[in-house]
């Protein structure tokens, strides 16, 4: 990777030049979705301009070009996450789709009395599918509690694990608080009891590189739209033997071997889980986005974003009525979830939007965390490698104005 130059990087993102409410856009909602560099936009345009075709079935040139590009993207994703084989990478519509795919498949392996453990820091998409699975199977959902600082209670984890624990679900990084969870330790301890582990990597993929073999994780998933790719595409990594054992999620074209009205046999991996015409362009652009991020370099990204996080934390601490939720900057990605004493997060968010600042307000699809802190929501500023300290200064100025208007 080249030396990190944020001015040069910002030129890759045309959207950063636009104005919002007459003010330059300051985009700090990166944890919800990231912006798209020109390189990825060009890749999408190139697909529709030059080789748009359905894949895997055509013998004609366009179909083969599209198939090659789509399968090449799968290999880029495989290499990025260090999966053993590209077959272990299922292209899905995103993290939510991936988790539902696994949850649906596990119905076959669970029975009454089995236990499913989810962390108390999860996004709704890593809670609700497991509740639905428990309803169908009679398995019991247990919650690994978090502490005041937004970290998981690991001694409690050891107490909760038992031979009935079949599955453990945890995010690598929390979207609401930015906590980096000790997934290596969680995976190891869960495996000691024979439980399988699904790690939701939606919020880690933008900031750090996960090695699924080194982690020995059973399932790992992320969404492309949070790592400079388009919406509607993501991936599920699963160990080959587990993916082979899971039943297909949806039936249709592409996922079969032989179909007759008497009996249908399924295709092998990864096609078994990719029924129908997939998001071809999205998959190709996902691969391009991963290459783009690697061209910048994850070490550069992490170091720079950490600097932004420290700077923004220091500046926010200038407010005497600030409450920052979660753990120390050393244990989280570049996310700050905060409130001002006496102010509703929604009012603050609405006012700073008028000043061009895009932050997230609300429960961040993690209502149990808000319940824990007994608050309606937080203001969340989440930074990316294309943000700057000058933008943080603009946010602080806007927050000062909002405070003086509302207090
Ligand atoms: N898990 C986490 C931790 C997330 O942050 C998100 C996105 N907000 C999701 C899951 C769901 O991702 P998607 O909406 O792309 O399916």
């Amino acid at each position: 990777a080249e030396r990190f130059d944020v001015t040069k990087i910002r030129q890759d993102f045309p959207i950063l030049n636009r104005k919002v409410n007459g003010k330059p856009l300051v985009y700090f909602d990166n944890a919800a979705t990231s912006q798209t560099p020109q390189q990825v936009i060009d890749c999408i345009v190139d697909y529709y301009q030059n080789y748009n075709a359905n894949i895997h079935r055509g013998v004609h040139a366009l179909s083969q070009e599209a198939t090659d590009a789509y399968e090449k993207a799968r290999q880029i994703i495989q290499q990025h996450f260090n999966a053993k084989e590209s077959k272990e990478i299922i292209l899905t519509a995103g993290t939510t789709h991936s988790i539902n795919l696994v949850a649906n498949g596990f119905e076959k392996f669970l029975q009454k009395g089995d236990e499913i453990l989810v962390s108390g820091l999860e996004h709704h998409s890593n809670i609700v599918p497991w509740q639905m699975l428990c309803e169908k199977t009679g398995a019991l959902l247990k919650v690994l509690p978090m502490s005041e600082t937004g970290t998981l209670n690991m001694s409690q984890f050891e107490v909760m694990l038992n031979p009935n624990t079949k599955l453990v679900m945890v995010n690598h990084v929390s979207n609401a608080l930015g906590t980096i969870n000790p997934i290596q330790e969680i995976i190891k301890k869960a495996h000691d009891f024979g439980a399988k582990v699904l790690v939701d990597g939606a919020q880690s993929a933008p900031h750090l590189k996960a090695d699924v073999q080194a982690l020995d994780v059973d399932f790992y998933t992320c969404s492309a739209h949070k790592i400079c790719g388009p919406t509607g595409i993501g991936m599920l990594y699963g160990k080959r033997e587990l993916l082979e054992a899971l039943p297909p999620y949806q039936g249709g074209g592409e996922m079969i071997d032989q179909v007759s009205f008497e009996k249908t046999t399924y295709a092998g991996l990864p096609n078994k889980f990719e029924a129908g015409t997939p998001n071809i362009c999205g998959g190709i652009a996902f691969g391009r986005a991963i290459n783009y991020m690697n061209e910048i370099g994850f070490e550069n990204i992490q170091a720079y974003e950490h600097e932004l996080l420290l700077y923004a934390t220091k500046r926010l601490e200038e407010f005497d009525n600030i409450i920052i939720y979660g753990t120390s900057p050393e244990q989280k990605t570049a996310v700050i979830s905060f409130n001002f004493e006496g102010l509703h997060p929604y009012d603050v968010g609405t006012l700073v939007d008028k000043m061009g600042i895009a932050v997230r307000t609300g429960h961040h699809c993690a209502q149990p965390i808000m319940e824990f802190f007994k608050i309606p929501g937080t203001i969340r500023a989440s930074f990316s490698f294309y943000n700057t300290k000058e933008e943080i200064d603009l946010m602080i100025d806007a927050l000062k104005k909002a405070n003086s208007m509302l207090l």
Side-chain angles (χ1 to χ4, degrees), residues 7-33:
T7 312
K8 189 161 156 281
I9 285 167
R10 286 176 71 81
Q11 290 165 4
D12 292 338
F13 293 83
I15 207 168
L16 298 179
N17 294 320
R18 70 159 282 182
K19 294 211 154 94
V20 169
N21 294 319
K23 301 283 181 345
L25 166 69
V26 172
Y27 187 76
F28 286 161
D29 195 16
N30 294 288
T33 203

Side-chain angles (χ1 to χ4, degrees), residues 124-296:
H124 295 164
S125 68
N126 206 16
I127 302 173
V128 184
W130 306 111
Q131 289 174 323
M132 290 161 67
L133 178 62
C134 285
E135 265 176 41
K136 285 193 275 190
T137 58
L140 190 67
L141 190 81
K142 290 191 160 177
V143 182
L144 171 62
M146 67 177 238
S147 68
E148 275 300 322
T149 55
T151 54
L152 293 171
N153 183 336
M154 291 303 290
S155 50
Q156 190 59 26
F157 183 53
E158 295 197 25
V159 176
M160 293 174 82
L161 278 172
N162 69 70
N164 293 330
T165 316
K166 290 294 174 318
L167 281 164
V168 174
M169 263 61 70
V170 62
N171 54 37
H172 195 166
V173 169
S174 151
N175 67 305
L177 302 175
T179 320
I180 303 171
N181 290 312
I183 59 164
Q184 184 100 61
E185 187 187 341
I186 290 174
I187 293 163
K188 201 179 165 306
K189 296 208 161 119
H191 283 173
D192 287 345
F193 284 87
K196 305 294 180 214
V197 181
L198 179 142
V199 172
D200 169 355
Q203 293 295 339
S204 48
H207 308 290
L208 45 102
K209 223 169 151 158
D211 178 331
V212 294
Q213 287 189 75
L215 286 167
D216 194 27
V217 67
D218 300 297
F219 300 100
Y220 196 93
T221 172
C222 74
S223 301
H225 70 91
K226 294 187 200 275
I227 47 172
C228 296
T231 55
I233 186 86
M235 72 100 190
L236 171 69
Y237 159 79
K239 284 181 182 163
R240 188 226 267 241
E241 65 273 20
L242 293 174
L243 290 174
E244 278 174 349
L246 283 184
Y249 181 40
Q250 292 178 317
E254 297 265 356
M255 55 74 74
I256 51 89
D257 172 29
Q258 294 274 331
V259 175
S260 74
F261 284 113
E262 288 70 42
K263 184 172 171 56
T264 288
T265 52
Y266 305 127
L269 296 174
N271 303 39
K272 181 172 107 179
F273 292 109
E274 295 184 9
T277 300
N279 184 348
I280 301 166
C281 178
I284 296 167
F286 185 7
R288 183 66 191 91
I290 285 184
N291 280 345
Y292 176 82
M293 304 258 316
N294 280 307
E295 284 155 21
I296 293 175

Side-chain angles (χ1 to χ4, degrees), residues 45 69 72 74 113 130 145 162-163 190 201 241 308 316 325 328 334 348 373 400:
V45 171
K72 181 84 203 2
R74 196 191 306 277
W130 306 111
N162 69 70
E241 65 273 20
L308 292 179
L316 281 170
Y325 303 94
S328 73
V348 179
F373 290 114
K400 283 187 176 158

Side-chain angles (χ1 to χ4, degrees), residues 53-68 254:
N54 212 329
I55 55 170
H56 293 152
R57 34 190 162 218
V59 291
H60 61 81
L62 260 52
S63 174
Q64 287 187 2
E65 280 177 36
T67 304
D68 288 348
E254 297 265 356

